[in-house]
Amino acid sequence: MKLFSGNAFAQAIQLLGLLVLTTLYIPDDFGVLGKIQSISAILTIVLTLQLQHIIPLSKNEKEATLQTSLVFSTLLIMFTLIITISFFISKEYIFATLFAFLLAIVNLLNNFLIYRGEFTSLSLIFILRAIFIVILQLLFFYVKVDYGLLLGAFIGELVSVLFIFLYKKLFFITFFYKNSLKSVKSLVVEWRSYTIFGTIQELLSVLIYSLPVIFYVDKFGENIGGQFSMAYRLIWAPTVLVSSSLAQVLTHKFAKDNDFVFLKSVFWFDKRLIVVLVLLFMGLFYIDFINQNYLANKWAITFQLFPYMFVNAVFFLFANPYRVALRIKKLNIVILIIEVFTILSIVAMFYFMNVDVILFTFAITCLSVVQNIMIVGGYYLNKNHFVNSVI
């Protein structure tokens, strides 16, 4: 609950910051930021090979420390490989790789703190990270720094890494050079369920929600791509953070307690969440007023896309516990098939659908709804032993 509250408060800070940032920066700036962050989200998964998730499973402090150090060594090896490749692609990918490197370190250190059960500290870190980023983005605008929005986010992540490292005194990370390549290789091989299957699975999941941002910028230009990115940021950013926190809690609950009864009361049966969703839905009817009177109609397309993003988020959150349950039950193949189908469909839409941005977003939303319904259906089909008999 503390982790969830910290995430929620951090998102509230960023949303309040956006009320100011959207009046200062133009949609094109958000298009550049959105594309870089989306590429970074994809690269972060490859950098860590999902090994950060093994840290909370450690049996004692010594093992957790060793695992964290080895994962950091793995991260450095992957970073060296990817940054080298990015030099042959573009400056855009070089910057995205550096961004991903910072995000990967944050994820690594956060998982070590999760092992320790320091959820209060994590909540504080989430909140301060949001404050750092918003303040820097505002500062860079007023001092007229080029790409201030992007640099503010990047340096904000860098400050977050340094803050976690110093605040929690995680100095053992600096001794990564003592790890042998043999030890790193052994870790990667031993946990291949994460490094191979987990990475592929997570990569597919992130591609589904990152590719559209990248493709919107490439297909419709930085302005419309930025407006889509803004809708994505306002809806999906908090959604992903909430789902990530929930997934961590559910993984612990399902794996250690073997308690799948919890699924019977998830989301639709939580009265408090229903109230929140209803209020958010009602708020969608006032977005045109906000756009015309506060933002001078600069973000018209963004507000037209809000309802589609909202529908996506609701179905994604509802299906999230079933994703976790399928993974714990070692039925990743179900998720894999569904997500491969979804990604191929998204790519086909971007290359073969020549329609305006609104109709295109409607098509993407329909696909997303179908995908999440299939995830839930996959869990219950397995429960009835249907999946086992087919696969």
Side-chain angles (χ1 to χ4, degrees), residues 265-318:
S265 61
V266 170
F267 293 122
W268 297 133
F269 306 100
D270 190 321
K271 295 179 181 179
R272 291 168 297 179
L273 187 59
I274 290 177
V275 172
V276 173
L277 292 176
V278 170
L279 290 175
L280 287 173
F281 183 75
M282 291 173 62
L284 293 175
F285 292 99
Y286 295 94
I287 57 179
D288 188 59
F289 172 82
I290 296 173
N291 179 44
Q292 292 184 15
N293 292 276
Y294 182 70
L295 298 174
N297 212 36
K298 184 168 63 175
W299 296 91
I301 294 176
T302 293
F303 288 99
Q304 292 179 54
L305 297 178
F306 264 159
Y308 303 104
M309 297 294 101
F310 180 80
V311 170
N312 274 343
V314 170
F315 277 87
F316 175 79
L317 285 173
F318 181 77

Side-chain angles (χ1 to χ4, degrees), residues 104-121:
I105 295 175
V106 170
N107 289 340
L108 174 63
L109 298 180
N110 284 349
N111 273 275
F112 181 74
L113 295 179
I114 287 173
Y115 163 76
R116 284 183 168 178
E118 297 188 30
F119 299 113
T120 300
S121 294

